[in-house]
Amino acid sequence: MDGKSYVIAKTWYADEMSRPGCVWTHSLIINLNEVDEQFDFRELLQLFRRPENGSFEEYSTTLSIDGEISTKYDDISLTISLIPLSYIYVQLLKQERGLVYKVERNSAIYQLIILMLMQYLPLQMLSKLTFCSGSSFGRKIGNDIFNLQFTTSAGKSLINAPEFNGLQVSNFNEGVIYICNSLLCNISETSQFLRIFSAELEDNSTKICAFGILLSYLDKAYSHVNVPEYRKVISIIADAFPTLSEGKKIKYTFISEKIATLFSSKDDYYYLMCTFESESIIDLASAVHIDSIHRYLSESPDKLIDFLNKLIGADSLNSVGKAVLKNEADNLNEDLQRKIADEYWNLYKVLLSLNTSMLRNNYWLNFLPNKVDYLLLIFGETNLSEFKHWKELFVTCIDNNIELPASVWKVMHQCCPDSVLLIMDHLQNQQSFSLPISLIRFCEEYSEDMLKWMSFHSHLSNSNITFILQAINPEGVETKAAGSESWRFFVYNDIERMDIRYYIFMFVLSFNWKDELSLYMLKHSFFYIHESLGRDEVPASEMNKLQRYMAELPVWQWWDNCKKLRKGVVQYIKYVGYEREILEDFTPSQQLNDSLFKIWDKL
């Protein structure tokens, strides 16, 4: 034996030879690299021929075994039972030497026992073992005694040797028992499996025993009797082949969907493949196809949702599990997206985090405000250029008073140029004003659009007026450049019950121009502001807006804001060139008008 070739020889006494003790030996040299799963060592018995002196040509010929095995096997269980066989098998797996038992029957029986053991051992293990089916005394190869031999001088019987006493099936590994039972019952599939996966089993007894257990489980799965949990199959594989490079073919076979679903439902199998933690042991991606899982989950929405809910509830997901979630997120149609969002919000959030392009659809704009608010945070981080439903989003944000980053509002304005006009239209029909601060800040940059809208509306709602007060700078360059005419209906909408902010805004606005309408703004707003100052009803924040239009007074009069305002206004109208006569009806109060005349005359 050299690890590649194995020699099996049969010897006959050569009584016809003149020299006593001569023997004839026919040796079969087997190339182990060419032995496939169909090769059966037991068939070799029919190939041996006793040589005849002078006729040796046929012994240098290469032999081949074709067709069905024709050897008739005796019932070897009469010679060796399961317990002794299992004991010997275990010792051979350990590569123990010196197993010697007595020849008690025809030597052909022991030849068959050895050949059957060889048939049910992986080739890598076999290449390290030596056997002898019959001799007078123990034999050696060099200094090493044979692993197993039968001799006429041995004292131990194969039936009741002392080492067998007290042994029961439970004393042996389950895989060993299965292999030995297969041997006794001549189950060829077991020997073929051992041959197919021989290279992966090597000469490792732990791996061979584990593989025997796997074969026993497979047998139970096919017969639907006492089928073990599939997790046990995976556990045995992981323990016996603890590195990624070990047992690749075995792992691939037993993790394949075809084999795995003999032990469990597809659902449980796929879930295990998505949550199995030891990816350093098993290359799941090579055995489990994401497309297969997708086809299975696509059979019904409920099946998909139930499975994905289980995945997101798992303590951890491996690369397959993460890939499944991503794949399903990428392939959800709009109806399923809506259904999951409506009924399984937590699942929807997970899938959305994996595929934010789901927000390119518009169904989510009809969700409850708290959900829309959450989704908009994610929406702001997506590729906004691919979104096509800006008007709907715009109205949703306005209706629900939802804040958005200024960057999103800007993109919205680019994609929906009439967005400011939409805001004004919306507010025109609202009883009360309610807009997010971010939207007001956004509109500050597009005051020209607001002014354009105002010029075409003869009536402004209170909501629009409030919005204008917050979004337009009455002292802004754009405001002054647009002219006073845009403000005509804003001014004439006064119902004399407006907030003081309205009048102060109009007051500041009037200083932008010198024309009939701006003079009306000044007159109209001055009176209401003067009255409010007299009642000390102007908030500090609004007083700051008036300061620059008030005149300086002596220190003992600093408290008199009304007089400051009167003097400041008269100084202004005189400075810009208005005639004194406009003060005659400047306010509804003649007494106040007279006071203004006196200030004019003193200037």
Side-chain angles (χ1 to χ4, degrees), residues 36-161:
D36 62 15
E37 65 269 20
Q38 300 301 323
F39 184 91
D40 196 313
F41 283 96
R42 295 166 293 187
E43 187 66 6
L44 298 177
L45 284 176
Q46 63 189 5
L47 299 181
F48 286 106
R49 300 288 186 272
R50 185 184 186 279
E52 294 183 7
N53 193 18
S55 179
F56 306 128
E57 291 81 2
E58 65 176 306
Y59 297 101
S60 61
T61 303
T62 300
L63 302 177
S64 61
I65 301 177
D66 298 312
E68 297 294 328
I69 297 173
S70 58
T71 302
K72 303 298 182 183
Y73 304 121
D74 294 327
D75 186 358
I76 66 168
S77 63
L78 297 175
T79 303
I80 183 169
S81 60
L82 180 60
I83 296 299
L85 180 62
S86 299
Y87 177 85
I88 292 172
Y89 193 86
V90 168
Q91 300 311 306
L92 293 176
L93 294 183
K94 295 178 181 178
Q95 302 180 43
E96 294 288 344
R97 295 182 178 274
L99 295 173
V100 182
Y101 298 99
K102 186 176 183 180
V103 173
E104 298 176 291
R105 299 183 64 187
N106 188 301
S107 63
I109 292 294
Y110 303 103
Q111 296 172 27
L112 185 58
I113 289 175
I114 287 175
L115 290 173
M116 295 184 83
L117 282 167
M118 294 172 68
Q119 181 66 17
Y120 285 82
L121 284 166
L123 294 176
Q124 278 70 11
M125 177 66 74
L126 179 62
S127 67
K128 301 180 184 301
L129 300 176
T130 53
F131 307 90
C132 180
S133 62
S135 64
S136 297
F137 301 97
R139 292 186 172 182
K140 293 183 179 181
I141 295 181
N143 294 322
D144 297 325
I145 60 174
F146 278 49
N147 295 94
L148 172 65
Q149 53 188 315
F150 298 96
T151 72
T152 56
S153 62
K156 293 189 294 186
S157 170
L158 193 57
I159 297 176
N160 56 10

Side-chain angles (χ1 to χ4, degrees), residues 69 126 267 337 440 499:
I69 297 173
L126 179 62
D267 195 86
Q337 291 176 29
I440 296 173
D499 188 89

Side-chain angles (χ1 to χ4, degrees), residues 299-358:
E299 291 176 3
S300 77
D302 290 341
K303 182 177 291 185
L304 170 67
I305 292 170
D306 288 346
F307 188 82
L308 295 183
N309 268 323
K310 284 201 301 182
L311 283 191
I312 67 169
D315 291 336
S316 63
L317 294 180
N318 55 35
S319 61
V320 174
K322 293 173 183 176
V324 167
L325 274 179
K326 181 66 170 70
N327 187 58
E328 297 309 317
D330 289 343
N331 287 282
L332 282 180
N333 61 46
E334 186 174 339
D335 288 339
L336 262 179
Q337 291 176 29
R338 183 185 293 107
K339 176 180 176 63
I340 293 173
D342 286 343
E343 302 175 24
Y344 306 95
W345 180 240
N346 287 335
L347 173 59
Y348 182 79
K349 289 192 291 185
V350 172
L351 297 175
L352 180 62
S353 69
L354 298 171
N355 180 19
T356 56
S357 67
M358 285 162 43

